[in-house]
Amino acid sequence: MSSFKVLIIGGGLSGALLANGLLNNNIDFTIFERDHAHSKREGYQIRLGAGANAGFRVCLTDAQIQTITNKLGKSTVTASTAPALYTSQFRELIDFSAVPSDVVLAGHIEYGKAFIRYSGVERGGEEKVRVEFEDGSCEYGDVVVGADGANSRVNKQSGLNNITRIESHWSFVSKGNLPYERMMQLPAKLRQSPMVVSTKHTSMYYALYLPEDFSKASMPSAEIEKRYNEAEALFYWGVNIPVRDLPYKDILEIKDKRKVVLNHIRNWALEYHTMFSIGADDADAADLLVLKFHASSKPAADWRARLTDPGQGHARVWLMGDAIHAMQPNRGQGGNQALQDCADMLPRLLTVAKKGASTSDISAACAAYEADMIPRAFEWVKKSGGTSIPNIDFDGWVGVVVGIVAVVLVPLMQLYARVFAPVREEESSEM
């Protein structure tokens, strides 16, 4: 192992992936995870895209990537990830799917380690970072990586403090199993693409996860709805409801969360009532989760230099994932951008590890990492709604305009794709 050591605060997706990259390059590290080893906390869904694949390629070996991809479910070829926009009365405005478009850490992770603070110190004649934990222990390293999520304590102590909690809405989210009989109760449109509804006060996202069952590949095309893997299929949805429209002051006051959702959309089309009621009677059905989203504001490129407190903006303390660019989940990019951070960060850490880890070298490497990460990730923060829940009323004049545009624009784009697709393919084959 190199004498250079990285301390990773947080053992989530990005922290674990970065750790694998360090392990594969013989760089010493330790992950400090707040939760205990047998914690049952779990997320909802992540769609791996280009960002995640970039992180995998940089941090993992080919064999590790293959192991991961073998365990991942793949959506059926008939399903699009682009949503269709609907009004609350179940009228389709535009279908974007019709528009052409294109870990092994044993011995390196310590659980039950809640971060308190860090400080720059001199140790053995070298500059180090000292990290303290709630259990009274401490650790020393050359670089600290804050991967501790949207409630990041590392972010706050660094002086960036750019993450806010969206207080205007409560988000009710659910997921459940999707056997064939249940899927057929849902609108057929969901088998083609997710659905998004936005009214003056409420927004909704509903999607199905239909991993293909390759043992059924020989079934005739007329039976394509039956070709997915029922054991792994899921439905998942989220509804954002303004706090002012709810008769509660605290989330803990809500006894029947599904009833709250159904009452709130009582004037919506019956199809939505069916969609939100699916799975409610399952013996193992989990209660709806109610939460408030976090989002972040874009920092200046030189945010560290602008801080006046000498204890903040430490060049040896780096941030990644939700700990710097928390975003709303409606574009499905939070996890992908966090994993792509690993692709930008790991080469810089390897470079300074080989040079001897001087503070000036680490500062330059950190600046180079943030110069790549901040514009990329915060473009997705913006596309995901920024720091407020989007308030677009598809039931009003916006819906009328979108519907008119869809009637005119989508056929033109489809025609363009049919005419020019062969040319693009020929050009790409020559590059």
Side-chain angles (χ1 to χ4, degrees):
M1 284 286 186
S2 163
S3 60
F4 181 85
K5 185 168 186 178
V6 179
L7 308 182
I8 302 173
I9 312 300
L13 287 173
S14 57
L17 181 60
L18 178 66
N20 273 281
L22 295 169
L23 182 64
N24 288 331
N25 285 277
N26 203 36
I27 301 297
D28 193 11
F29 70 91
T30 302
I31 296 178
F32 299 95
E33 170 55 45
R34 174 191 59 194
D35 290 338
H36 294 284
H38 303 293
S39 172
K40 299 300 182 182
R41 293 179 62 192
E42 64 176 48
Y44 262 60
Q45 197 81 11
I46 178 172
R47 175 171 55 86
L48 300 182
N53 290 328
F56 289 166
R57 287 194 298 271
V58 171
C59 295
L60 304 178
T61 65
D62 290 343
Q64 289 172 325
I65 293 173
Q66 188 63 49
T67 299
I68 292 173
T69 55
N70 285 346
K71 293 181 179 294
L72 294 177
K74 299 177 178 61
S75 296
T76 60
V77 295
T78 59
S80 169
T81 57
L85 307 186
Y86 274 69
T87 69
S88 66
Q89 299 308 305
F90 209 73
R91 180 171 66 86
E92 182 179 307
L93 297 176
I94 184 170
D95 178 8
F96 284 112
S97 68
V99 178
S101 65
D102 312 292
V103 185
V104 180
L105 301 175
H108 293 274
I109 183 166
E110 296 188 21
Y111 291 98
K113 292 287 188 178
F115 169 87
I116 296 180
R117 68 180 66 88
Y118 67 79
S119 56
V121 297
E122 184 175 311
R123 185 175 172 84
E126 297 180 349
E127 280 194 71
K128 298 287 182 180
V129 184
R130 182 176 189 265
V131 177
E132 300 173 41
F133 302 95
E134 285 185 357
D135 63 2
S137 63
C138 66
E139 182 61 88
Y140 296 86
D142 295 285
V143 170
V144 172
V145 176
D148 50 338
N151 288 307
S152 173
R153 293 182 179 181
V154 181
N155 177 298
K156 292 175 182 177
Q157 189 186 345
S158 74
L160 179 54
N161 206 21
N162 69 324
I163 301 174
T164 58
R165 189 166 66 173
I166 300 176
E167 300 287 354
S168 62
H169 290 69
W170 287 350
S171 298
F172 295 72
V173 297
S174 180
K175 69 175 180 179
N177 301 322
L178 197 62
Y180 177 75
E181 293 76 12
R182 175 172 294 169
M183 185 187 71
M184 298 308 291
Q185 297 177 44
L186 294 169
K189 186 64 186 179
L190 285 171
R191 300 197 289 274
Q192 302 168 6
S193 68
M195 290 174 55
V196 169
V197 176
S198 182
T199 70
K200 188 181 298 183
H201 304 292
T202 306
S203 60
M204 177 213 83
Y205 180 87
Y206 204 115
L208 306 183
Y209 169 59
L210 301 173
E212 189 163 2
D213 186 340
F214 294 101
S215 67
K216 300 178 181 178
S218 61
M219 293 179 68
S221 58
E223 301 289 332
I224 197 164
E225 290 87 354
K226 297 182 180 179
R227 284 170 50 184
Y228 73 96
N229 188 331
E230 295 184 61
E232 297 181 3
L234 295 171
F235 68 86
Y236 53 103
W237 54 263
V239 179
N240 299 318
I241 301 178
V243 175
R244 66 174 184 270
D245 292 347
L246 296 170
Y248 305 98
K249 293 183 179 180
D250 192 284
I251 290 173
L252 296 177
E253 297 177 16
I254 304 175
K255 303 302 181 185
D256 190 335
K257 301 179 180 67
R258 193 181 306 271
K259 184 177 180 180
V260 169
V261 172
L262 293 173
N263 181 64
H264 185 75
I265 64 148
R266 58 188 176 276
N267 295 322
W268 289 25
L270 290 177
E271 287 88 345
Y272 297 116
H273 291 260
T274 299
M275 291 161 63
F276 293 138
S277 298
I278 287 289
D281 298 329
D282 288 358
D284 59 346
D287 194 11
L288 304 189
L289 179 64
V290 185
L291 48 83
K292 294 180 180 180
F293 290 140
H294 289 80
S296 52
S297 55
K298 184 178 180 179
D302 60 343
W303 67 270
R304 294 173 186 268
R306 297 187 182 196
L307 298 172
T308 57
D309 186 335
Q312 296 178 333
H314 201 296
R316 290 177 179 265
V317 178
W318 299 18
L319 296 164
M320 71 187 312
D322 283 351
I324 184 170
H325 51 68
M327 65 187 74
Q328 296 181 51
N330 49 60
R331 295 301 297 270
Q333 279 293 320
N336 277 279
Q337 294 305 304
L339 296 176
Q340 189 163 352
D341 290 348
C342 299
D344 290 337
M345 182 181 290
L346 180 63
R348 272 73 186 230
L349 290 175
L350 298 181
T351 297
V352 294
K354 292 176 181 178
K355 282 187 175 181
S358 71
T359 297
S360 60
D361 287 339
I362 290 174
S363 179
C366 181
Y369 157 67
E370 292 187 346
D372 286 342
M373 177 270 294
I374 289 176
R376 164 181 54 77
F378 280 90
E379 182 63 25
W380 281 108
V381 172
K382 179 180 178 181
K383 291 178 179 178
S384 299
T387 55
S388 62
I389 301 291
N391 184 21
I392 303 173
D393 187 8
F394 292 165
D395 290 340
W397 65 268
V398 172
V400 174
V401 172
V402 171
I404 293 173
V405 171
V407 170
V408 176
L409 188 60
V410 172
L412 289 176
M413 295 184 71
Q414 291 174 330
L415 176 61
Y416 178 87
R418 285 196 298 270
V419 172
F420 292 100
V423 175
R424 289 202 303 269
E425 291 172 357
E426 181 178 336
E427 290 174 348
S428 63
S429 66
E430 294 176 353
M431 293 177 64

